[in-house]
Amino acid sequence: MEKVDVVALGELLIDFTENGISAHGNPIMEANPGGAVCNVLSMLSGLSKSTAYIGKVGKDIFGKQLTEAIRSVGIDDSGLVVDDNVNTTLAFVHTYEDGDRDFSFYRNPGADMMLTVDELNLDLVRNCRIFHYGSLSMTSKCCEEATFKAIEVAKESGAIISFDPNLREPLWDSLDHAKEEISKGMKQCDILKISDNEIIWFTGKEDFDEGVEELRKQFNPKLITVTMGKDGSRAYYGDKIVSVPGFVNENTIETTGAGDTFGACVLNYILEQGLDGLTEDDLKEMLTFANAAASIITTRKGALKVMPSREEVEKLLRS
């Protein structure tokens, strides 16, 4: 089997996003394919990287739509399992005027939670350069076991391990449980992508440098990137701290997928440059491209099927 650049395990779901008001004054919802890890894979596929997904959908119209969606953007679906009994997970996204959003999930259970160890396509895991995961696959016992089995196999085969906590509070029975599982996820990773609000929640530190220092003492990933919304992003690598301002886009309509787009660009840079010996200039180049890509996705509804191309990102950088 040929090496796959990035294999990801996690949620694949429908994001119902608001798209206007009906004649009767009701919100019109558009069924967008989504799920953080598949958004990451979609962006990477668009950057000419080979990608594969491991996860589960229901045997319903949404499961069929999602299967077709990931195939259409070039993601290998040989690790995708269909559940005969549990429906595909649905998320309803409410967008505020500033582009930020709230989620309501229909997932009690949802198919993405039901992946088991026996259903893992471990050939994909053994043959990837980077293995990527989030925390939503840790919210149920069976899928948590599958996640950590896949991480174990990926580490044994020499893959770089990438983690994005992607905290979604409504999906956890308690935030203490969330912290416990996310700690286990952080303990395994070489690359940690984390948001500003997640650092504050996890460490209690308002100062991101102090928060990251605490994370490094506990878990010591090789590279930590922090997304800070309109304020841009920051990278922590060895003794280097590099900050790059954001690209504030006047056409922003929603922020769904912005962090995933950013994270994908970081992984793309590591695939091309490696994780060893990165300079401050390297980190700045990596963050600048990732910030620009994230800015573009905020001007579009949905994420998985509308990721920016390399040419679009480079055009923004030139301007």
Side-chain angles (χ1 to χ4, degrees):
M1 182 178 182
E2 284 188 21
K3 280 277 186 188
V4 181
D5 289 323
V6 181
V7 171
L9 183 153
E11 71 279 11
L12 178 58
L13 48 79
I14 296 289
D15 280 325
F16 280 96
T17 52
E18 294 173 10
N19 196 2
I21 301 291
S22 75
H24 304 291
N26 300 315
I28 298 170
M29 308 299 286
E30 181 178 351
N32 287 298
V37 299
C38 277
N39 291 339
V40 169
L41 294 180
S42 176
M43 182 70 198
L44 283 160
S45 292
L47 294 171
S48 303
K49 300 301 182 289
S50 57
T51 62
Y53 169 66
I54 296 174
K56 207 169 195 183
V57 293
K59 191 177 183 180
D60 50 34
I61 58 169
F62 296 122
K64 186 178 179 185
Q65 179 192 346
L66 289 167
T67 302
E68 291 170 353
I70 65 171
R71 287 175 181 164
S72 74
V73 295
I75 300 169
D76 180 335
D77 69 338
S78 59
L80 177 63
V81 181
V82 177
D83 195 303
D84 291 335
N85 302 308
V86 180
N87 286 340
T88 302
T89 299
L90 308 178
F92 289 80
V93 187
H94 173 71
T95 306
Y96 296 104
E97 286 184 9
D98 65 355
D100 212 348
R101 70 265 194 250
D102 251 346
F103 293 87
S104 298
F105 291 92
Y106 286 70
R107 187 184 186 249
N108 194 26
D112 73 290
M113 302 165 61
M114 308 309 289
L115 185 73
T116 66
V117 170
D118 293 342
E119 293 169 324
L120 289 173
N121 184 333
L122 290 177
D123 283 341
L124 285 175
V125 180
R126 290 188 188 100
N127 287 284
C128 68
R129 295 174 62 197
I130 294 178
F131 180 75
H132 177 69
Y133 57 102
S135 71
L136 270 65
S137 62
M138 302 171 186
T139 53
S140 73
K141 190 64 181 169
C142 67
C143 198
E144 180 212 17
E145 289 173 357
T147 302
F148 285 100
K149 176 63 177 177
I151 293 168
E152 177 191 330
V153 171
K155 288 176 87 81
E156 286 172 356
S157 61
I160 294 170
I161 309 298
S162 164
F163 179 47
D164 176 359
N166 193 34
L167 177 68
R168 294 287 177 263
E169 291 186 31
L171 297 181
W172 293 93
D173 49 20
S174 75
L175 284 178
D176 286 341
H177 183 209
K179 194 167 284 190
E180 179 187 329
E181 293 299 323
I182 287 171
S183 293
K184 286 156 69 174
M186 288 183 183
K187 196 173 288 184
Q188 301 297 330
C189 70
D190 304 300
I191 299 172
L192 173 64
K193 180 256 162 201
I194 189 165
S195 69
D196 46 9
N197 58 328
E198 287 166 346
I199 284 189
I200 295 168
W201 165 72
F202 193 88
T203 68
K205 306 285 188 185
E206 297 279 344
D207 182 292
F208 303 144
D209 292 347
E210 291 178 9
V212 167
E213 188 56 35
E214 190 159 310
L215 294 178
R216 292 173 109 177
K217 283 177 185 172
Q218 287 187 67
F219 310 111
N220 199 31
K222 202 159 188 179
L223 171 65
I224 297 178
T225 60
V226 178
T227 53
M228 304 181 295
K230 292 173 182 175
D231 294 328
S233 60
R234 203 169 285 173
Y236 299 80
Y237 178 83
D239 60 355
K240 302 174 184 69
I241 301 175
V242 175
S243 296
V244 173
F247 290 77
V248 179
N249 201 315
E250 61 185 20
N251 299 315
T252 289
I253 52 174
E254 60 161 306
T255 57
T256 302
D260 308 327
T261 308
F262 173 92
C265 294
V266 169
L267 297 186
N268 183 68
Y269 195 87
I270 298 306
L271 286 166
E272 294 179 355
Q273 305 295 329
L275 191 52
D276 296 323
L278 296 173
T279 65
E280 287 193 10
D281 285 344
D282 292 333
L283 296 170
K284 184 177 180 182
E285 181 183 19
M286 177 186 78
L287 294 180
T288 303
F289 187 94
N291 287 356
S295 169
I296 294 170
I297 202 67
T298 68
T299 67
R300 300 170 181 178
K301 285 196 176 290
L304 193 148
K305 292 189 76 171
V306 293
M307 286 293 175
S309 66
R310 186 186 294 272
E311 291 71 28
E312 288 176 303
V313 179
E314 289 174 346
K315 183 180 177 183
L316 176 58
L317 292 173
R318 286 195 299 273
S319 70

